[in-house]
Amino acid sequence: MGVALTAVATSVAGPLAFVALAAPQIARLLHRRTPGISLPGAALVGAVLLAGADWVAAHAFAPVQLPTGAVTVSAGGGYLLWLLLGRRRNGRTG
């Protein structure tokens, strides 16, 4: 259900908005000491993700340049799928 809702949100908002869905989760994973999600941390992770995706899109298959959105959806979708499968294995559903 989570993957389907993410796919709908991405199709409506565009593939670059997918970074906004993945960045807070990655920030929370990287900084587990504090409860909740830090807004500056999520913003920094989002900026790094987007800059990294843009660099990969421009240089991975040179001289052909991929759309940055294709890279963000591929990386973010894989990460969110990994998160969902990890929760299922640990017995957590929510």
Side-chain angles (χ1 to χ4, degrees):
M1 183 68 160
V3 172
L5 290 173
T6 301
V8 169
T10 301
S11 67
V12 170
L16 291 180
F18 198 75
V19 172
L21 296 171
Q25 302 304 320
I26 296 171
R28 185 175 63 183
L29 182 68
L30 292 174
H31 200 262
R32 293 185 182 203
R33 293 182 193 155
T34 59
I37 300 171
S38 164
L39 182 60
L44 181 63
V45 169
V48 169
L49 282 175
L50 193 54
D54 188 47
W55 187 87
V56 167
H59 296 95
F61 298 102
V64 177
Q65 185 171 357
L66 296 174
T68 304
V71 176
T72 59
V73 167
S74 300
Y79 176 72
L80 287 178
L81 187 61
W82 176 75
L83 273 179
L84 289 172
L85 292 176
R87 285 185 174 203
R88 180 178 287 171
R89 277 191 219 122
N90 292 335
R92 295 182 287 176
T93 58

